[in-house]
Amino acid sequence: MKRAAPLAEFLDACLGPTVAKQGFSGSDIIVSWPEIVGERLAAYSQPIKVEWPRRVIPDAPAEPSTLIVRTESAFALELQHLAPVIIERVNAFYGWRCVGRIVLKQGPVIRPAAPVPLPEPSPADRAVATEAATGVSDDALRSALERLGSAVIAAERRDRGGTGSPPVPHSS
């Protein structure tokens, strides 16, 4: 049986062909953009493409690339002034001088949706989950199932609009 693997291990396999078309060697710069440039800069910018210069001599060392970054128009001037810092941070992230310059493209930056906070389980939700897990003999497993069950019941209650009583557990 295969071991459970973190989702991050599958990210490059899924996104690899798409990011390769944009000149990226992997999805790491896209995923790590907030860590590379900081949360503040990442909120108004995103890397969209890397352009590598053509090699005249096949075995010659790679020349630094051009990183194309989309930025909100109101933030473009500030990002232009910070370009040397961003180049330094990207190169430090990779451990070699892979980016030599940055080109800014003004446009809307796609921001991830804010996560919806999970509702707090009510005492009734906890009671239903506790009752459903009574047949489990292992204390740690029973406790984990009670927490999971009460969270699922609370989420279902939220999805139904907060109306009604918690669902009745099915007996097996």
Side-chain angles (χ1 to χ4, degrees):
M1 193 158 119
K2 285 185 151 183
R3 68 172 177 83
L7 184 60
E9 288 184 16
F10 301 106
L11 195 59
D12 275 335
C14 294
L15 297 178
T18 303
V19 296
K21 288 179 184 176
Q22 298 303 318
F24 297 109
S25 61
S27 62
D28 50 349
I29 191 169
I30 298 167
V31 173
S32 301
W33 189 246
E35 290 83 27
I36 294 171
V37 300
E39 292 293 331
R40 182 174 168 275
L41 294 180
Y44 299 101
S45 64
Q46 65 188 132
I48 56 172
K49 191 174 186 180
V50 175
E51 291 181 346
W52 293 93
R54 294 193 184 268
R55 289 188 186 183
V56 178
I57 303 170
D59 294 333
E63 291 293 318
S65 65
T66 300
L67 177 62
I68 300 173
V69 177
R70 178 175 288 130
T71 182
E72 300 278 339
S73 59
F75 196 71
L77 185 60
E78 185 170 352
L79 201 64
Q80 183 178 0
H81 289 295
L82 294 171
V85 174
I86 294 170
I87 291 170
E88 183 180 317
R89 288 180 183 177
V90 170
N91 290 338
F93 177 78
Y94 282 111
W96 66 289
R97 188 171 176 256
C98 58
V99 173
R101 66 185 270 248
I102 291 181
V103 172
L104 302 177
K105 300 284 184 183
Q106 293 184 20
V109 173
I110 300 168
R111 293 184 180 88
V116 177
L118 295 175
E120 187 65 31
S122 70
D125 298 338
R126 287 191 182 96
V128 170
T130 300
E131 182 182 335
T134 55
V136 179
S137 60
D138 184 282
D139 291 339
L141 178 58
R142 184 175 56 251
S143 176
L145 288 172
E146 288 171 2
R147 287 191 312 273
L148 175 62
S150 61
V152 168
I153 292 167
E156 286 177 349
R157 182 174 32 84
R158 179 202 61 208
D159 293 344
R160 286 191 315 263
T163 61
S165 58
V168 177
H170 301 289
S171 55
S172 352

